Amino acid sequence: MSEVVKADNREGILVLTVDYPPVNALGAPVRQGLAEHLTSAQSDNSVKAVVIACAGRSFFSGADIREFGKPPQPPVLRDVQVMIENSTKPVIAAIHGNALGGGLEVALCCHFRITTKSAKLGLPEVKLGLLPGAGGTQRLPRVVGIEKAVQMIVGGEPVAGTEALALGLVNDVFDGDPGRAGEAFARRALAEKMPLKRVRDDDSKLQPAKANRQLFNDAVAAMTRRARGLVAPLACAECISYTLDYPFEKGLQLEREKFLELLNGEQSKAQRHVFFAERAAAKVEGVSADVKPRTVERVAVIGAGTMGGGITMSFVNAGVPVTLIEVAEDALSRGLGVIKKNYEATAARGGISAADVQKRMGLITGKIGLDHARDADLVLEAVFETMAIKKDVFVKLDAIAKPGAVLASNTSYLNIDEIASVTKRPQDVVGMHFFSPANVMKLCEIVRGAKTAPDVLATAVAIAKRIAKVPVVVGNCDGFVGNRILASRAKQAEELLLEGALPQQVDAVLTKFGLPMGPFAMSDLAGLDVGWRSRKDRGIKSEIADALCEAGRFGQKTGKGFYKYEGRAAVPDPDVERLIDETLQKMGRKRRAVSDDEIFERMVYPMINEGARILQEKIAARPGDIDIVWVYGYGWPVYHGGPMYYADTVGLKKIAERLSHYAKETGNPSLEPAPLLKQLADAGKTFASLAA
Ligand code: T1G
């Protein structure tokens, strides 16, 4: 009998406990074990009812994603589900931790479901570019109704046990051991002769939408508004519509077909890559799993500006109290005011309650003076981005902060070792680079200094996860991973304008690919004057951007930049085209027609090339780390997996050839393929082969 499924007949109640770490995914050994015990239970007269429960931290967390794309091993999940659904003896699912994807779909085949209040029940397949392919789109609407099912399946967010009870998704809630609770419920079901209902047989919850299809259409419209470029959300909605148009079995068959289509599709492959790359990125080279993070209970954030405010919100959103420190009252009250306004806006949209606003503001203590950082376990500096100011703050923090405190800088490109060098504790200094708006953006680039201690890195990764960020540990260089690659793209964007492309043409090529914004709209959002001032400091030129600034066009803040702005809408401006022509004339250059294909290749391939240099220099440990930085920090479309994953789908040989071509055409040697890219291309290899 199966090792991973333990069977315990407790006076007629057969409790099946699955133990398949780390998350009880429904892998082949689990399916085999369940099938064996369910089959024997049917003919075993001593068994009156069956309970399915899991050991460890969670009920089934879904199908085993690692098995996707491999030949299916029997029994397939559907076979196990049919055994459960057709059992003549009550089958009870006792849920704790998570019941996700195939895990909830198995539970929906049971006659009864009970759960802990804090458990998470959901169908998140859409986040993997998939849809619930084991009957979830046909059974869930029959239990919670069409609108809620659309919300849960197209959105992918789980519901908590308490809400599941209110929705009728479960029959009861319990505390304590799932096996025991399941056993108790089974005895009650037998004693009260509760009828064995199959979800598939009850269409009553579908009637309102069958009578008024607009209910379904409105729910879908609300949930697919932000699906930009993703195929899975619409496929999920289509499958749910089968419940309104077809009998159960037909709907199940159509769902299966649609599932296989997505499973073999490019988008889901890319999104599954991102799933595993995100988890791999949290594993730090040279820091073994037994290195314990330092305790972080009290956090001090230095600077209440845009970044300091957003970072503070991230901590208090996770229940971590923050001392927010400024140099002057007005700066502090301004910062606190912005935070409060943000929370009130979220509450007004129904995202949090008014009580939550109070509770979160209550976790923030505003103070004047660095002294107030003395008790903090973690001090996170988010002051103005110049080396002199950063050094001044760290010199003072070195004298104030308690021994063992982690000193982190939110710098977005300055040298972490140089900042650490002004302290007597460089081992405690690390970069924690958040992205604006910091309370929304998921990425946290953790910058490892030459002397940063392993447990400080482990602490930064752990705290980033605790505040729901995605940590990626990177090496120390100008711009780290994200901004360094961004700079290589910006260089080419500028070059393309000097050769004849227009800002709106370049931006359109990238937004068509799925990026939220092109480089020129992004510059207008950030403000062209910021780059202008720093170029002047460094004595370097960007002819067209400089000309725009000299004309007072700083971007959105002045209503004009590379575009003119009607409200928040960016509108191409003939004045910009005239200004570009004049600038090129002064430079003795002629505009030429530039194709969208060339723009795409010269925007994206240099990013990949810079990624190869970053891997060569070990600034990033894995190609997947670069992908996670760009997906969670710069809006690279998740269904293209990230720049390095995407490169493998195009083929490194082609990318290397195109880069060489453009290096010759433009006379720009930095476009030559990086040695690592060339080496892999010549060997017919992929970036993924580096991590294998
Ligand atoms: N399959 C295989 N491995 C999985 C897995 C899964 N479903 N879920 C997690 N892991 C691994 C993960 O890679 C990591 O491995 C370890 O478990 C811990 O994960 C037919 C088609 C459950 C909420 O989408 O959301 O069912 O890095 O670090 O933060 O309709 O994992 O240690 O080697 O994330 O505590 C649907 C996916 C599948 C849920 C736990 N299910 N998992 O979070 O730990 S598709 C999902 C999660 C499906 C059916 C369809 C989270 C978690 P390693 P972790 P965590």
Side-chain angles (χ1 to χ4, degrees), residues 228 436-437 441 486 489-490 493 503-528 555-556 562-563 565 567-571 599-600 603-604 607 630-631 633-637 639:
R228 241 164 40 90
S436 185
M441 296 299 284
L486 187 69
R489 187 187 78 179
Q504 57 269 31
Q505 184 191 10
V506 174
D507 285 357
V509 167
L510 291 186
T511 50
K512 189 162 155 255
F513 179 68
L515 280 149
M517 211 178 248
F520 298 109
M522 213 163 143
S523 306
D524 277 356
L525 181 66
L528 305 183
Q556 287 198 19
F562 283 104
Y563 297 89
Y565 288 83
R568 301 205 61 186
V571 181
I599 288 173
F600 179 79
M603 284 283 96
V604 172
M607 294 171 67
W630 266 76
V631 166
Y634 298 81
W636 181 280
Y639 53 85

Side-chain angles (χ1 to χ4, degrees), residues 470-491:
V470 175
V472 179
V473 176
V474 299
N476 181 33
C477 68
D478 193 7
F480 314 131
V481 168
N483 283 344
R484 179 172 161 179
I485 290 178
L486 187 69
S488 70
R489 187 187 78 179
K491 192 85 202 86

Side-chain angles (χ1 to χ4, degrees), residues 22-23 25 57 61-66 68 77 98 100-103 105 124-125 128 130-134 259 275-276 279-280 283 465:
V23 291
R57 56 187 169 142
S61 296
D64 192 331
I65 308 170
R66 293 164 298 191
F68 290 165
L77 193 53
N98 298 298
L100 300 174
E105 290 172 301
E125 286 85 343
L128 296 168
L130 294 169
L131 56 88
F259 172 76
F275 177 87
F276 287 114
R279 280 144 187 88
K283 302 190 171 86
K465 282 180 142 180

Side-chain angles (χ1 to χ4, degrees), residues 643-660:
M644 310 318 275
Y645 175 89
Y646 177 73
D648 283 349
T649 64
V650 173
L652 302 190
K653 192 165 178 318
K654 173 179 176 189
I655 291 172
E657 280 163 6
R658 297 305 291 162
L659 282 166
S660 298

Side-chain angles (χ1 to χ4, degrees), residues 14-230:
L14 181 68
V15 178
L16 301 179
T17 305
V18 176
D19 191 2
Y20 192 55
V23 291
N24 290 317
L26 288 153
V30 173
R31 300 191 305 268
Q32 282 147 13
L34 286 172
E36 281 164 18
H37 289 294
L38 286 163
T39 308
S40 60
Q42 296 311 306
S43 53
D44 179 343
N45 294 334
S46 73
V47 173
K48 307 300 179 216
V50 179
V51 173
I52 300 178
C54 290
R57 56 187 169 142
S58 175
F59 190 71
F60 305 122
S61 296
D64 192 331
I65 308 170
R66 293 164 298 191
E67 289 184 354
F68 290 165
K70 298 185 184 127
Q73 293 176 59
V76 293
L77 193 53
R78 287 187 310 292
D79 299 341
V80 177
Q81 290 176 294
V82 169
M83 287 179 191
I84 295 171
E85 212 169 34
N86 296 344
S87 164
T88 55
K89 304 171 182 185
V91 182
I92 293 102
I95 297 168
H96 78 294
N98 298 298
L100 300 174
L104 181 57
E105 290 172 301
V106 163
L108 284 166
C109 292
C110 297
H111 304 107
F112 307 102
R113 289 162 291 283
I114 61 171
T115 181
T116 59
K117 296 189 190 77
S118 60
K120 293 269 179 285
L121 294 81
L123 296 174
E125 286 85 343
V126 71
K127 297 183 182 176
L128 296 168
L130 294 169
L131 56 88
T137 68
Q138 304 307 299
R139 290 192 177 89
L140 188 68
R142 285 176 163 84
V143 176
V144 302
I146 278 284
E147 287 141 293
K148 189 65 190 176
V150 168
Q151 208 183 55
M152 288 178 69
I153 296 174
V154 179
E157 293 307 321
V159 295
T162 39
E163 188 184 351
L165 182 65
L167 288 167
L169 182 52
V170 298
N171 302 84
D172 204 355
V173 291
F174 69 87
D175 293 318
D177 174 67
R180 295 229 165 286
E183 184 193 340
F185 188 91
R187 293 196 194 289
R188 217 176 89 208
L190 292 168
E192 296 171 17
K193 295 192 175 24
M194 292 184 192
L196 302 193
K197 287 204 199 116
R198 301 191 311 170
V199 167
R200 59 184 293 156
D201 300 332
D202 179 359
D203 286 7
S204 58
K205 289 265 178 86
L206 301 177
Q207 298 321 318
K210 280 192 174 176
N212 172 9
R213 192 154 188 128
Q214 203 51 41
L215 293 174
F216 170 72
N217 298 341
D218 294 348
V220 170
M223 291 310 293
T224 54
R225 207 170 282 131
R226 291 216 190 90
R228 241 164 40 90
L230 290 161

